Amino acid sequence: MKYILRNKLRLIPMALTAFLLTLSLTACGNASGGAGSAEPEGAAEEYSKTVYAMDIPIDLKAWGKQAREAVEEAGQELQRIDSLLSVTNAESQIGQLNARTGSTISGETLDVVQDSVRLSELTGGAFNITIYPVVRAWGFTTGGEYRVPSDAEITELLTHVGMDKFTLSESGNDSAEVVFSDEKTMLDTGAITKGYASDRVYEIFDSHGIDSALCSLGGNIITKGKKTDGSQWRVGITDPFNPDDYCIAVAVEDKFLVTSGGYERYFNADDGIRYIHIMDPETGRPVDNDLESVTIISDHGAEADALSTALFVKGRDAAIDFWKNCTELEFDMILIDDDGTMYVTEGIADSSTATGNYPVKIIH
Ligand code: ADP
Ligand code: MG
């Protein structure tokens, strides 16, 4: 724990866009795709913009000679990816698959779906892009009313859930056909889309020679290079018990940080229970375990996104076992459990600083 926090307000809070806007990205342009803003002549060449995509405002900020071009291109790319993969847009490729109005997907969508298949296998099904009929029944992503489905309804819906209920066949010209074996099976890449998009944004920044950038896509943070003063980025992880604050800070460079937590999207039902937007594919019910949030820190955006969802589903001990035993994926993580203990993997132990009173345990 060598990192000493000098100025709390200079941290970058995750999953907290408003806070991020006011404290860290103060030079940002207007929300909803508004104009970008550039620093006055003579200052470091800096450009930032907030675009609206994937149902959230996304803050992009870059420094470098081509900062403006890079940020503008990244903003357009985010909207393009959204129009390809959005589950709530009937015209998107995923929307068409689910409505059975189309069965062809582009090579790019195929990449995302194949990556989802791989991560589903690696996580023993905790990450499952066919969970959508269940997600919808609870009222998430439909824009309609939240509700608690009956046990019988959940049991029926689960018969349409399963990664074995569709097949992919590449059709040559950078496209593929998706064939469902069950009429009601649907796909939702929502738990990996922002991570995939983050990888694309990073590549775009790279192609424009940007070596310092910071972006926030809801619970997904991209850090590119270091800050212009040569120091590392310090990212604050939201306190799940008090989401207006953060409880641990990590010093990083060139990393994707993705947090999944129950505090992000939920509803309180008449039965007094709080139901969250991440589902356990085994039960068809919102996750209700000993974890409050999972943060993955990785070189790969899509992997980090899928893993944050999957390890949140698994619960504390299974998530720790997964980290210890998974040889295919390399990542660090911070788990915050329901009594406020923070579990930090050894790779980031020295670069993390608890900013509140929660105890920290290092995972080796
Ligand atoms: P967010 O997208 O809110 O940042 P996540 O990345 O954790 O959070 O993804 C949660 C979304 O993914 C849900 O809103 C739902 O659409 C979908 N989803 C829910 N449970 C699962 C699951 N077990 N596997 C894959 N996708 C899921
Ligand atoms: Mg995710």
Side-chain angles (χ1 to χ4, degrees):
M1 294 283 160
K2 68 178 180 211
Y3 223 86
I4 297 178
L5 204 64
R6 266 168 302 183
N7 181 354
K8 232 185 164 195
L9 294 187
R10 286 173 59 205
L11 282 170
I12 305 147
M14 287 190 69
L16 208 59
T17 309
F19 201 49
L20 184 72
L21 267 171
T22 44
L23 294 184
S24 300
L25 296 182
T26 43
C28 262
N30 304 329
S32 309
S37 66
E39 284 287 287
E41 204 93 19
E45 289 167 77
E46 166 191 327
Y47 188 76
S48 58
K49 184 171 187 171
T50 301
V51 296
Y52 193 84
M54 298 155 198
D55 298 325
I56 50 161
I58 295 174
D59 300 319
L60 305 166
K61 188 167 192 172
W63 288 260
K65 283 202 177 65
Q66 294 180 35
R68 177 187 294 267
E69 292 88 334
V71 166
E72 292 293 340
E73 191 179 325
Q76 284 169 16
E77 180 70 352
L78 289 166
Q79 278 156 350
R80 191 188 64 81
I81 292 170
D82 194 17
S83 68
L84 215 58
L85 300 176
S86 168
V87 74
T88 52
N89 172 4
E91 302 300 316
S92 78
Q93 292 184 9
I94 296 293
Q96 290 188 32
L97 290 181
N98 291 345
R100 305 294 192 263
T101 53
S103 60
T104 306
I105 55 173
S106 60
E108 188 179 9
T109 301
L110 176 66
D111 282 347
V112 178
V113 174
Q114 279 178 330
D115 225 16
S116 301
V117 171
R118 179 177 67 97
L119 286 152
S120 186
E121 283 166 1
L122 285 171
T123 60
F127 181 76
N128 187 328
I129 57 168
T130 66
I131 195 68
Y132 190 55
V134 174
V135 171
R136 236 169 48 142
W138 287 85
F140 293 104
T141 77
T142 56
E145 297 268 297
Y146 291 123
R147 54 188 279 275
V148 180
S150 69
D151 290 350
E153 185 179 353
I154 292 171
T155 304
E156 198 281 325
L157 287 170
L158 282 176
T159 65
H160 311 298
V161 173
M163 296 294 284
D164 57 348
K165 299 199 182 298
F166 67 95
T167 54
L168 301 166
S169 55
E170 286 180 62
S171 48
N173 46 352
D174 202 27
S175 67
E177 291 295 309
V178 181
V179 178
F180 292 100
S181 62
D182 182 304
E183 212 176 299
K184 291 187 183 160
T185 300
M186 292 193 262
L187 304 186
D188 169 18
T189 60
I192 193 172
T193 299
K194 291 200 280 286
Y196 170 74
S198 300
D199 286 324
R200 286 291 303 132
V201 167
Y202 189 97
E203 284 166 20
I204 288 169
F205 285 176
D206 224 27
S207 72
H208 285 282
I210 302 295
D211 44 27
S212 185
L214 172 69
C215 304
S216 162
L217 301 76
N220 289 236
I221 298 282
I222 310 169
T223 63
K224 176 130 182 36
K226 296 183 186 180
K227 298 203 289 190
T228 49
D229 66 5
S231 63
Q232 289 187 309
W233 302 103
R234 284 178 297 165
V235 179
I237 308 303
T238 300
D239 178 350
F241 301 99
N242 178 18
D244 289 338
D245 207 347
Y246 41 85
C247 53
I248 186 164
V250 205
V252 289
E253 61 189 83
D254 277 320
K255 292 286 178 198
F256 298 88
L257 298 95
V258 184
T259 298
S260 287
Y263 60 86
E264 290 174 321
R265 246 183 306 152
Y266 61 87
F267 68 95
N268 294 306
D270 294 340
D271 56 13
I273 299 176
R274 171 167 146 170
Y275 295 104
I276 68 162
H277 69 300
I278 301 173
M279 301 287 148
D280 182 339
E282 269 182 25
T283 62
R285 305 180 66 85
V287 171
D288 178 21
N289 59 24
D290 53 5
L291 284 177
E292 296 295 325
S293 77
V294 173
T295 299
I296 306 293
I297 296 146
S298 160
D299 292 343
H300 308 285
E303 262 175 34
D305 198 0
L307 278 178
S308 72
T309 307
L311 298 195
F312 187 80
V313 170
K314 281 181 178 286
R316 186 191 62 200
D317 293 345
I320 292 173
D321 282 349
F322 183 88
W323 181 82
K324 288 183 176 175
N325 297 317
C326 179
T327 50
E328 291 90 346
L329 306 167
E330 211 171 295
F331 63 100
D332 277 293
M333 66 179 186
I334 299 171
L335 309 178
I336 303 178
D337 78 3
D338 53 7
D339 56 46
T341 305
M342 303 192 287
Y343 295 80
V344 177
T345 52
E346 58 189 6
I348 49 161
D350 284 347
S351 46
S352 310
T353 315
T355 58
N357 298 319
Y358 303 147
V360 176
K361 289 188 179 165
I362 314 291
I363 311 171
H364 295 281

